[in-house]
Amino acid sequence: MQSLPKSLFLFVFCLPLAILFGILLATPLSDQTMYVVGGTMLLLLVPFMLTGHHSFLILSWNAFILVYFLPGKPYLWMLMTAISLLFLIVTKTLNRNSIRLIWVPQVAWPLLAIGLITFITAQLTGGVGIRAVGSDTYGGKRYVFLWAAIAGFFAISAIPVDPRKRLYLAGGFYLLGITAFFSNLAYILGEAFYFLFLLFPVDWAITQLGSEAVVGYSRIGGLSPASLAFFSFLLMHYGLRGILDFKKPWRALLLAATVALGLFSGFRATIVLVALFFTVQFLLEGLHKTKFLLIAVLFGVLLAASVLPFANRLPLAVQRCLTVLPLQLDPAAEEDARGSTDWRFEIWRSVWPDVPKYLLLGKGYSLDPKDMYFAQTHISRRIDVGYEGAVVAGDYHNGPLSIVIPFGIWGVLAFAAFIIGSLKVLWRNYKFGDPEIENINRFNLTAFIVQLIFFIFVFGAFYLDLAKFVGIVALSISLNRGMAGPVTAPAKALADTESEPEEALVGGRLEPAFRGGARA
């Protein structure tokens, strides 16, 4: 009799569901199949999501993974943001005392201002049109990226991370960026593995295919974010001081190998970002005041001496990365890099005169498909310049321009307030946070500063990069349970007192009954 409920469950639920799946999987790529199968899988994951949605959101934030069965194929972190917020709202509604949410106004208010400014701009400039759901206009997906990033901040920062999970969640946050390489891997392995493009964005494979067709050499674009992800993980986990430890030389060799692999992407940004990460981390660790400064200089000299004589014999993709340095390289790599740079400067020169026109009311992201069609037609007929399509689409390849033209001076002011508030939070968490996660707090500050410098002076796209900024500061808030502050003398005395074990009579003998510490 005890097995009757299980049998009923098997025949009433499992068998019909298996038959339905069998019928649907005859057409595995149809929308109906994707919705039913995907929805069922999400339903089965509900018990895990109830307790682990916050961890899953943190781990998915930098992952290049698509939810292919949803319209528009959003990234996994967007879906996890929606799920995490839903569980937070339901839990808080059912039991107001179940969770004590974290609120950091220095960051929260500027992000809400960005959300309001972008929403008002969208309503005044053509609305939020998303082609994937049947709209007649393009551009809505960029608004979705922005608003999902803002929502993701509150979903991550509202809940503190369990101290036992801090190290692996922070490591996974940065490390899962290596999933960018799977797009190139699917292309390299051939058609039998093209199904991977359902899960991983095809963009990096398109970059590789385009380089092979246009310039004649292969650029494995996904290696750039993948190598930077592993590079970030090593810096976060060990710090530069730990990586340069002579007793463990494998760490430095692993870091060097990671950077070397990234050069095969052909993106000069790889070299720039590695140099920025190294410099900022070096300064924050105070290594410029130690013997490590001399070691770094000697290492740089030895590296240059070993690479310079053979630089023009390296693969062309690697040489393209090295064009940021004053080296004698293959003319093909130099010309390709120079053409890309000139193209960007032409975009900036053509767009800059329009900035005053959009100061009070930004252009927004709404785009009429006919404008893009005419721009591409002009390019194909060589009637107009080659950057018109990028300008019409709003791809300015410049961080400040990607804010001021779509959202005017109001967007710039809100973003500046967000940056100032975030830097304050990251700095205080680095200076006054838990010593056990000092390396993580230091690297969070490093990553934010590097991303900011790159966004302003090298390359940026506001709708994409906001998620990068938001993720770093939200992670820091969650790891440190808010914004840390200096410990005052009375608080420090109280912490020292509370950290002393108290003795209690247990089983006829005295044993420590409490261990803890107060945090400011």
Side-chain angles (χ1 to χ4, degrees):
M1 293 297 293
Q2 294 180 353
S3 62
L4 183 59
K6 295 182 180 179
S7 301
L8 285 175
F9 179 79
L10 179 66
F11 284 102
V12 174
F13 181 76
C14 293
L15 282 181
L17 186 62
I19 294 172
L20 176 62
F21 276 15
I23 296 172
L24 291 175
L25 290 176
T27 55
L29 299 182
S30 69
D31 291 342
Q32 184 180 6
T33 299
M34 291 183 182
Y35 296 153
V36 174
V37 175
T40 304
M41 294 301 295
L42 289 177
L43 185 63
L44 294 174
L45 289 174
V46 166
F48 299 98
M49 292 297 181
L50 284 171
T51 57
H53 62 89
H54 187 246
S55 297
F56 292 149
L57 174 58
I58 292 175
L59 292 174
S60 68
W61 192 261
N62 287 312
F64 290 83
I65 301 176
L66 300 174
V67 185
Y68 67 90
F69 54 84
L70 292 181
K73 295 183 178 180
Y75 280 91
L76 179 60
W77 67 266
M78 295 179 175
L79 176 62
M80 287 308 309
T81 293
I83 292 174
S84 190
L85 282 177
L86 176 63
F87 285 143
L88 276 178
I89 293 171
V90 171
T91 303
K92 195 67 176 176
T93 302
L94 295 177
N95 186 354
R96 296 180 62 85
N97 298 321
S98 60
I99 304 175
R100 185 177 180 182
L101 302 181
I102 300 171
W103 173 263
V104 180
Q106 292 87 344
V107 183
W109 287 119
L111 281 176
L112 290 175
I114 291 173
L116 180 62
I117 291 167
T118 54
F119 178 77
I120 293 175
T121 303
Q123 298 306 311
L124 296 176
T125 57
V128 182
I130 302 178
R131 189 69 171 173
V133 295
S135 175
D136 293 331
T137 58
Y138 294 119
K141 191 172 183 178
R142 299 187 177 190
Y143 288 116
V144 173
F145 268 92
L146 285 176
W147 296 336
I150 295 171
F153 167 80
F154 293 102
I156 294 177
S157 65
I159 305 177
V161 171
D162 186 334
R164 295 169 297 180
K165 299 179 179 179
R166 290 184 297 188
L167 184 59
Y168 89 80
L169 284 181
F173 176 84
Y174 289 106
L175 185 60
L176 283 178
I178 63 175
T179 50
F181 173 65
F182 284 90
S183 176
N184 293 106
L185 183 63
Y187 173 74
I188 293 170
L189 293 177
E191 294 185 10
F193 292 87
Y194 283 0
F195 69 91
L196 291 175
F197 291 130
L198 291 173
L199 292 175
F200 305 103
V202 72
D203 307 64
W204 301 113
I206 292 176
T207 300
Q208 184 176 354
L209 177 62
S211 66
E212 292 173 354
V214 177
V215 295
Y217 60 89
S218 182
R219 292 172 53 191
I220 308 176
L223 280 177
S224 179
S227 66
L228 288 170
F230 197 73
F231 180 87
S232 299
F233 171 77
L234 292 175
L235 280 184
M236 182 218 71
H237 193 68
Y238 299 113
L240 268 181
R241 191 183 298 270
I243 290 173
L244 298 176
D245 187 351
F246 292 116
K247 297 179 181 178
K248 300 176 181 178
W250 61 268
R251 294 178 180 174
L253 292 175
L254 186 58
L255 189 76
T258 301
V259 175
L261 282 175
L263 298 182
F264 285 88
S265 67
F267 286 111
R268 291 164 291 175
T270 307
I271 287 285
V272 175
L273 285 169
V274 166
L276 287 173
F277 271 114
F278 188 90
T279 302
V280 175
Q281 186 80 6
F282 198 87
L283 294 175
L284 286 179
E285 291 192 30
L287 298 182
H288 58 290
K289 302 175 183 178
T290 67
K291 62 181 180 180
F292 286 103
L293 177 60
L294 178 61
I295 294 173
V297 172
L298 291 176
F299 179 77
V301 171
L302 291 174
L303 182 63
S306 59
V307 172
L308 284 176
F310 309 102
N312 58 0
R313 301 179 189 176
L314 296 172
L316 288 177
V318 176
Q319 292 191 52
R320 192 183 189 279
C321 281
L322 297 178
T323 54
V324 296
L325 304 174
L327 301 175
Q328 189 68 30
L329 301 170
D330 190 290
E334 291 183 341
E335 185 60 31
D336 183 26
R338 187 182 301 112
S340 176
T341 301
D342 293 342
W343 181 73
R344 283 178 171 80
F345 278 121
E346 288 296 328
I347 291 177
W348 301 341
R349 276 193 288 265
S350 68
V351 170
W352 181 252
D354 293 335
V355 170
K357 182 169 62 175
Y358 295 113
L359 281 179
L360 295 181
L361 177 60
K363 182 181 178 182
Y365 287 141
S366 179
L367 174 63
D368 190 332
K370 291 183 289 187
D371 294 337
M372 179 58 68
Y373 170 76
F374 289 131
Q376 293 174 339
T377 302
H378 289 167
I379 292 171
S380 64
R381 294 177 180 176
R382 301 182 181 275
I383 296 176
D384 211 336
V385 291
Y387 54 79
E388 184 182 359
V391 173
V392 171
D395 293 326
Y396 308 118
H397 295 260
N398 178 272
L401 288 177
S402 71
I403 303 176
V404 68
I405 292 181
F407 303 113
I409 189 64
W410 318 113
V412 174
L413 293 175
F415 182 70
F418 163 71
I419 292 298
I420 293 171
S422 298
L423 286 173
K424 180 179 180 180
V425 170
L426 292 167
W427 174 257
R428 289 171 71 92
N429 285 344
Y430 162 55
K431 294 295 291 185
F432 309 116
D434 190 340
E436 291 185 3
I437 55 171
E438 182 181 3
N439 278 348
I440 298 175
N441 285 331
R442 181 190 294 115
F443 183 76
N444 283 336
L445 179 59
T446 295
F448 195 92
I449 293 173
V450 168
Q451 187 62 43
L452 180 62
I453 294 173
F454 191 80
F455 178 82
I456 295 175
F457 297 106
V458 184
F459 175 85
F462 182 51
Y463 75 97
L464 289 176
D465 290 330
L466 183 63
K468 300 177 184 178
F469 291 115
V470 159
I472 296 169
V473 68
L475 176 68
S476 178
I477 291 171
S478 184
L479 292 175
N480 293 274
R481 299 175 178 266
M483 182 174 66
V487 180
T488 60
K492 186 177 186 302
L494 178 62
D496 292 340
T497 301
E498 292 183 349
S499 63
E500 292 297 325
E502 298 178 1
E503 293 182 332
L505 188 63
V506 179
R509 64 182 184 276
L510 292 176
E511 289 188 354
F514 170 79
R515 287 187 182 272
R519 289 200 56 214

